[in-house]
Amino acid sequence: MMLSRSSPLVSEMDLEYRRYIQEVGSILLSDTDLREKLDILDNNDLSSGLIADELDKLKPELRSKLNEIKRAEIDRLLSRWRDLAKITDREPKGIVHLDTKNPHSFEADDLRYLLKATVDDLNKLDQMRRQAFKNHEMKKKMEEEERINAMGSEQRESYYTHKRNWAEIYRQREKQVRHPGSEEQLKDVWKHTDQMNFQDFNPTLFFRLHDMNNDGALDEHEVKALFIREISTLYKKEDPDFDPAEKEEEGERMREHFFSEADTDKDRMVTLHEFTSNLENLKTHETGWNSLFSRPFFTDEEFNAFMEKTIPAGNSIKTKLEGYRMNHIEM
């Protein structure tokens, strides 16, 4: 379930309502029967009356705590609005993570709104991360072109040779990387990380072992941990051009790709059913992986716009780089 009480993802999210998320999640997950029911509900169930029926079955003391948590959250928002009104004429942003029409009790709509708001914000965080990485790579390229521009012909040729050699090394490493979530990839984790016999691989037991907080689903940190060995095949600290930002982004890409295939209800959590279904589906698919080295990080247009924004017009460095790039021969 998305509102895992111990999910590292929730604690890292820069959301104003993160405490509210954690408190609601803690209450809902403390009821074993409700937790199990929520784990098997899909988005259609959440949109129907089923979730309301389940909340009505919640123990009275837990329902009372949910009501208190919601009222406290509304009081916090009202206080924030009053403080904002003192220093600005801006209209406060709309509340999307709870039902304001009913300020007194926690109902099914409150859970629907909270789950949707959390997913939407996590998607925004991923977009921000991808853009930050793209900027990182464009800055690297700009600095690299500046260095190359300052090289003599022999030094430049030596540098190109170095780049070609390492590009080939990365291509060979990439061939060893297995598709995230495939049986082959998971069996490798089962054997080397879990220290289990390869021939005894059991998908259900594997899922239970890696559901570290026992909430009935794999969250994004639990999934990302499954790909540590694959990422280490590609990125090694001893490499001359090792970039920890690229290693981190590769893990995020694997995590996103796995969720795009396995998370069928798009709630940013993978249940046991989703996990095993994806495992079966991948048996008929290719099991390789296209790493960051196999695709451009950005377009020429994006790089030109980045350089325009980063280096003021008329700057000598910018002029030299543009002159160099006009004559640059791609490897």
Side-chain angles (χ1 to χ4, degrees):
M1 179 184 177
M2 170 58 68
L3 306 178
S4 170
R5 77 181 81 186
S6 58
S7 171
L9 187 60
V10 170
S11 66
E12 291 180 4
M13 287 164 49
D14 186 21
L15 306 177
E16 292 181 342
Y17 51 93
R18 60 185 179 276
R19 179 177 296 179
Y20 178 68
I21 294 173
Q22 292 170 325
E23 290 177 344
V24 170
S26 178
I27 296 299
L28 295 176
L29 294 174
S30 67
D31 186 293
T32 304
D33 292 338
L34 178 60
R35 181 176 67 180
E36 292 178 354
K37 187 67 176 180
L38 288 172
D39 286 339
I40 62 175
L41 291 179
D42 60 22
N43 283 345
N44 292 329
D45 295 326
L46 290 173
S47 300
S48 69
L50 288 177
I51 188 61
D53 293 340
E54 295 305 319
L55 283 176
D56 287 341
K57 298 175 185 177
L58 198 63
K59 297 175 183 178
E61 61 269 25
L62 296 182
R63 192 64 180 269
S64 178
K65 287 182 180 179
L66 284 176
N67 295 340
E68 292 175 9
I69 291 169
K70 179 179 177 179
R71 288 194 289 267
E73 176 67 358
I74 288 180
D75 288 343
R76 182 189 72 81
L77 292 169
L78 290 174
S79 176
R80 187 191 68 180
W81 282 9
R82 286 192 292 268
D83 292 341
L84 186 64
K86 295 177 183 178
I87 60 176
T88 180
D89 293 330
R90 289 182 303 161
E91 289 291 326
K93 295 181 179 179
I95 299 175
V96 296
H97 63 286
L98 50 75
D99 179 14
T100 56
K101 295 178 182 178
N102 170 23
H104 304 296
S105 61
F106 188 97
E107 305 295 341
D109 277 343
D110 290 293
L111 182 56
R112 294 190 194 102
Y113 293 162
L114 184 55
L115 289 171
K116 183 179 185 305
T118 305
V119 169
D120 288 347
D121 276 292
L122 287 171
N123 289 335
K124 290 176 185 177
L125 288 175
D126 271 336
Q127 292 174 3
M128 292 169 61
R129 186 208 82 241
R130 288 192 291 268
Q131 185 59 52
F133 177 73
K134 184 181 293 186
N135 291 343
H136 169 79
E137 290 297 321
M138 288 190 289
K139 183 174 183 291
K140 278 181 61 175
K141 180 176 180 179
M142 191 171 67
E143 293 172 346
E144 179 187 45
E145 289 193 356
E146 183 180 353
R147 291 195 305 271
I148 294 174
N149 186 54
M151 294 177 182
S153 59
E154 291 185 8
Q155 186 181 12
R156 187 176 300 164
E157 182 56 35
S158 176
Y159 182 77
Y160 289 157
T161 300
H162 164 85
K163 294 280 288 186
R164 285 192 292 269
N165 290 341
W166 276 97
E168 180 58 29
I169 289 173
Y170 286 129
R171 279 192 288 268
Q172 293 304 317
R173 288 179 181 176
E174 186 181 68
K175 294 178 181 179
Q176 303 174 44
V177 178
R178 291 149 291 211
H179 190 95
S182 66
E183 185 173 78
E184 184 183 18
Q185 187 265 313
L186 297 178
K187 281 184 175 180
D188 183 74
V189 176
W190 173 266
K191 178 180 179 180
H192 296 284
T193 303
D194 300 331
Q195 300 294 302
M196 306 288 276
N197 291 329
F198 190 84
Q199 64 271 19
D200 295 333
F201 178 70
N202 182 307
T204 300
L205 179 56
F206 181 95
F207 180 92
R208 301 298 184 198
L209 286 172
H210 293 274
D211 177 18
M212 303 301 292
N213 54 15
N214 296 313
D215 67 348
L218 299 180
D219 64 35
E220 302 196 358
H221 279 246
E222 291 165 338
V223 166
K224 190 176 173 181
L226 300 179
F227 310 135
I228 292 175
R229 284 179 54 80
E230 302 304 310
I231 297 167
S232 297
T233 297
L234 282 168
Y235 300 89
K236 304 180 186 301
K237 288 184 178 180
E238 61 269 22
D239 292 349
D241 298 325
F242 172 75
D243 185 345
E246 293 177 353
K247 180 178 181 180
E248 178 67 20
E249 180 64 14
E250 195 75 71
E252 297 291 355
R253 286 183 67 246
M254 286 187 178
R255 183 261 303 170
E256 285 187 293
H257 185 81
F258 176 82
F259 272 86
S260 73
E261 294 184 329
D263 182 21
T264 55
D265 62 4
K266 305 306 176 187
D267 67 348
R268 305 281 295 225
M269 301 292 284
V270 173
T271 64
L272 175 60
H273 175 71
E274 289 174 323
F275 178 80
T276 54
S277 295
N278 183 60
L279 193 58
E280 286 299 313
N281 290 337
L282 288 178
K283 288 182 178 180
T284 60
H285 294 173
E286 292 292 330
T287 56
W289 174 248
N290 294 323
S291 73
L292 288 171
F293 307 114
S294 301
R295 54 190 301 173
F297 300 125
F298 45 82
T299 65
D300 289 340
E301 291 76 14
E302 287 174 320
F303 181 68
N304 289 335
F306 179 82
M307 192 163 64
E308 286 288 340
K309 183 178 179 180
T310 305
I311 305 177
N315 185 287
S316 60
I317 295 177
K318 178 182 176 182
T319 303
K320 289 178 180 178
L321 285 179
E322 288 176 338
Y324 164 73
R325 294 178 70 228
M326 290 293 292
N327 301 301
H328 180 59
I329 300 176
E330 295 293 338
M331 293 183 290

